[in-house]
Amino acid sequence: MSLSIFNARLLDPATGLDTTGAIFADKGRIREISQGRTTAHAEAKVAIDAGGLCLAPGLVDLRVKTGEPGDEQKETLATASRSAVAGGITSFVVMPDTKPVIDDVALVRFIAERAKVSAATRIYPAGALTTGLRGEAMAEIGLMADAGAVVFTNGDQPVGNASLLKRAMTYAASRGATIMSRPDERALAGSGVMNSGALAARMGLSGIPVEAEWIGAMRDTALAEATGCTLILDQVSTPRTLDIAAAARDRGAKVFTMAAAHSLFFNERDVGDYLTYCKVNPPFRTEETRQGLIAALKRGEIDAVVSAHDPQPPEEKRLPYGEAAFGAAGLETVLPALLSLVHDGPLSLLEALAPVTCRPADMLGLPQGRLAEKALADLILFDPDKPWLCERENLRSRSTNSPFDGRRLQGRVLRTFVGGEEVFAHESLA
Amino acid sequence: MARAAYHHSFEHEHLLSIEGLSPLDISLILDLADNYAEATRAGRRPDPVLSGTTVVNLFFENSTRTMSSFEIAARRLGADVVSMPVAASSVKKGETLVDTAMTLNAMKPDVLVVRHSASGGPKLLSRKVDCAVVNAGDGTHEHPTQGLLDTLTIRRNKGRVEGLKVVICGDIAHSRVARSTTLALHLLGAEVHLCAPRTLLPSGTETWGAASATTDFDKALNGADVVMMLRLQLERMDGAYLPSRREYFRYFGLTGERLALAKPDAIVMHPGPMNRGIEIESAIAEGDRSVITEQVEMGVAVREAVLHLLAGGAT
């Protein structure tokens, strides 16, 4: 079906385009970008007057957990995708920590198949780096890559054995596979539940020190450098971790970094009265650290911003802080979190969009994330200014453990298109 | 001659922490507790202000001492008391803190006294129930009635709290007593110095109101009015946080020689239970400077006052 969206503010972070115009899409791809055009393309079956609002590539999210297979009561690929499109995400990578773990070809195919029949978005499976995520033996990286796994990771349980990780990186490099690893020295992070420091001490909670992340990053980047493997440092939470990545890159290592959107929005004080929705790993850090991350994002030092969507049902969160599960639902709040940095001043719209569109797509060699002729017609139309109150019960994911619950946000997605088909329209348009 | 009357009412629904109380709140509790202590000493039975109310002791961690103290306090004021050492019962069946709280809440108690191994546990519970909640110790966070009874014991022995030099020595990092007592004493104007091996001395103790944090016990003791020793969990002593028990006793044990560094009339305190010969010499614990048994006595008085203020109507 052909589609014309006109009188829009066209935003393409890949080229820096920011101008009024129109796009014409047909057969799933963008066919024409008409700068300055404020009228519909006559040949289009569907024509939408954007009224001057923003038209950008759909978001590409490199880190999403669902409960499918095994924990469908938390989230399925379908429910996650419905939440995703409401947040402007049109493609996402699902993590392998499910039951069973996505550690063989059949399971990679299962995810791809389930996504195709049930989900509103494009979904890409990540394969387990080690069998059963046990960190003992490497999984079938080559075969899973051939079956469609776009990246390999041990998810929330980074490989502790450096020797195994080095061999897995060596092997992955030879297959051209990318490894995603969360920098984390387990022995040091221990049983910590929030950012280490004076606040944790006063609240009587055990801390996760920043050194645990730094040591993990030093180890992982050293191994990436030694093996030539492409490495994505998962959920970086401090600027110094980015420095460690940059130093490795300067020596020729292929290292990328990504940060969770919530780590750009919250600091450790938001844990407040032991609010378990704010219990995530890595934890919310100090305000100074958060500001450092924002400055690094502004300088382009964070390659991707992700939702780190981790649905947890009430029974996992309605517990004393120390006992509650880590994880935050995040698919619908990535864009508003980034837009808050635009409204508060530090970022331009294009700077806010690049780490959720073209840059993550490039990291995995995916074609999406751009507004260009022949590109996939994965598009979002959004109002960057629209204020709204984030309320848990209105979120669309099956688990609504969002730290943004009760927050006033600004900027909402109004329409989302995948392959030129509308998959979401905000209720205000009905 | 009568004291000038002033009116300050206790406006808190729960007692979850010392943090959040004002100096006036604390004075109000201590004054009332003082009255209860005197009544008990004089053999007088206090007015049954809790008559017709139900107090439930919900202890997810074993503690005979604290649970008995709350139980005696509640009974003295005429409450019906149910004590549930939950550590042994429903939790093993997989019931969560919130489930247990909701179940008990449906039985309409007036006060829930809660001890839990997780910091913030009683706070979570207070959001889910309709009655008053008293924190009887949560993880390594706070133990507010202990902070109050320590402060009362000091006030009774020294006639004041303001301007006193108090040294608290031991496992500061894992002590909910250290947090509550430091906060309470600071609010009433005492100068609190915390002392511990570096590995058990967290950063940011100034936000609790501590005047200093040091590893030099001898230096800290100089001119002290009050010396409070904390219990050191035995499992923390054997290599994990510090090298050995004897090394700990050498630098941080309270001996007669060390106590001589404090003021001649300095009092010695300990929240119990004690590791004699590890953090404190037996002779000191039982010596004439020790007010350790008075702390236990004041524990009941403070808990009477707290229960009265939360469930017994106007004072």
Side-chain angles (χ1 to χ4, degrees), chain A residues 141-194:
Chain A
I141 295 171
L143 293 177
M144 284 193 281
D146 290 345
V150 291
V151 68
F152 295 87
T153 177
N154 238 47
D156 291 333
Q157 302 144 59
V159 178
N161 181 336
S163 176
L164 175 66
L165 182 61
K166 186 176 181 188
R167 275 182 264 121
M169 282 190 178
T170 304
Y171 187 81
S174 75
R175 306 288 333 165
T178 297
I179 285 181
M180 178 195 288
S181 178
R182 188 159 70 75
D184 182 47
E185 171 52 53
R186 272 321 309 159
L188 199 49
S191 55
V193 294
M194 77 172 284

Side-chain angles (χ1 to χ4, degrees), chain A residues 202-268:
Chain A
R202 176 152 177 191
M203 293 176 73
L205 295 173
S206 52
I208 302 172
V210 287
E211 297 85 13
E213 181 169 310
W214 297 342
I215 292 170
M218 286 187 264
R219 181 195 76 159
D220 295 354
T221 55
L223 295 177
E225 187 185 336
T227 60
C229 180
T230 303
L231 170 70
I232 301 172
L233 286 180
D234 177 19
Q235 295 180 86
V236 167
S237 72
T238 81
R240 182 153 152 191
T241 318
L242 298 168
D243 293 343
I244 293 166
R249 257 196 310 263
D250 287 347
R251 288 189 299 268
K254 286 177 266 180
V255 176
F256 296 102
T257 56
M258 60 193 217
H262 52 229
S263 66
L264 299 166
F265 194 91
F266 296 100
N267 67 34
E268 59 177 2

